[in-house]
């Protein structure tokens, strides 16, 4: 019924034909033209603009913002950040391990003497500083090496962590010999791969 009604409207809107002449073809329906512009060949691709959809427009970045982004993405900044983070983490780990160690404040000259609170706190501080330095060095070496490897390869994947872990572990282990360097390279590379797999 609806189709007959639309056909009737089209026939009524079309001009009357002279007798003996064939009737002109009816004009196309409006919804078919609309479909051609929406999903057909006449559809025009439009650039996505958040402002037209009611979103928040993103203004262009200034030179200061670009400079700050370049500094934050640079290898020295990443190494310094990892150094600070490693120092804090190592200090906390050292104090924690010293707190559960029964030999903190122990005097080998007088094993039966009970250490004072000052001596215990002093040993805990020394161990915390020692752990903090080691963690800071390892964190800075690993982060700087990973940044350099990533910049050289031009990719960000798990291979960067494995290569930088091997280099860092090998450099730390080589101080104790070739065998220790090889073991450190393999162990640190495996640990870096496991951490990268877990985080990704």
């Amino acid at each position: 019924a609806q189709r007959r009604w639309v056909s009737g409207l089209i026939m009524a809107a079309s001009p009357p034909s002279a007798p003996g002449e064939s009737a002109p073809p009816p004009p196309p329906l409006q919804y078919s033209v609309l479909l051609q512009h929406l999903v057909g060949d006449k559809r025009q691709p439009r650039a996505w603009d958040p402002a037209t959809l009611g979103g928040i427009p993103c203004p262009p970045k200034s030179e200061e913002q670009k400079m700050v982004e370049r500094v934050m993405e640079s290898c020295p900044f990443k190494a310094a950040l990892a150094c600070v983070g490693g120092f804090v983490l190592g200090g906390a780990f050292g104090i924690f391990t010293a707190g559960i160690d029964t030999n903190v404040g122990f005097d080998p000259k007088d094993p039966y003497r009970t250490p004072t609170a000052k001596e215990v706190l002093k040993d805990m501080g020394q161990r915390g500083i020692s752990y903090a330095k080691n963690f800071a060095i390892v964190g800075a070496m690993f982060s700087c090496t990973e940044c350099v490897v990533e910049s050289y390869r031009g990719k960000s994947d798990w291979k960067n962590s494995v290569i930088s872990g091997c280099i860092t572990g090998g450099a730390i282990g080589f101080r104790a010999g070739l065998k220790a360097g090889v073991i450190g390279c393999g162990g640190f590379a495996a640990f870096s791969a496991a951490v990268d797999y877990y985080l990704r």
Side-chain angles (χ1 to χ4, degrees), residues 119-169:
E119 294 174 347
V120 172
L121 291 176
K122 182 180 179 180
D123 286 353
M124 291 177 64
Q126 290 178 352
R127 184 178 294 189
I129 292 297
S130 176
Y131 274 70
K133 290 180 179 179
N134 294 332
F135 274 63
I137 293 173
V138 172
M141 288 179 60
F142 180 81
S143 179
C144 185
T145 307
E146 185 180 19
C147 183
V148 171
V149 171
E150 182 177 348
S151 301
Y152 177 76
R153 296 183 65 240
K155 298 179 181 179
S156 178
D157 52 10
W158 60 272
K159 294 181 181 180
N160 297 334
S161 300
V162 173
I163 296 173
S164 57
C166 180
I167 294 174
T168 304

Side-chain angles (χ1 to χ4, degrees), residues 4-94:
R4 289 197 300 270
W5 177 74
V6 173
S7 301
L9 287 178
I10 295 175
M11 293 179 64
S14 59
S17 57
E21 294 182 0
S22 61
L29 298 178
Q30 293 297 325
Y31 67 84
S32 63
V33 178
L34 181 63
L35 287 177
Q36 289 180 1
H37 285 277
L38 290 178
V39 296
D41 298 335
K42 296 182 179 180
R43 182 175 64 89
Q44 298 293 332
R46 295 183 179 181
W48 183 78
D49 187 6
T52 59
L53 300 177
I56 301 175
C58 183
K61 296 180 181 179
S62 61
E63 292 296 330
E64 291 78 8
Q65 291 176 337
K66 295 179 180 179
M67 183 180 66
V68 170
E69 289 182 356
R70 287 194 296 267
V71 171
M72 294 182 65
E73 293 176 358
S74 62
C75 294
F77 180 81
K78 291 181 179 180
L81 188 63
C83 182
V84 174
F87 187 87
V88 174
L89 181 62
F93 184 73

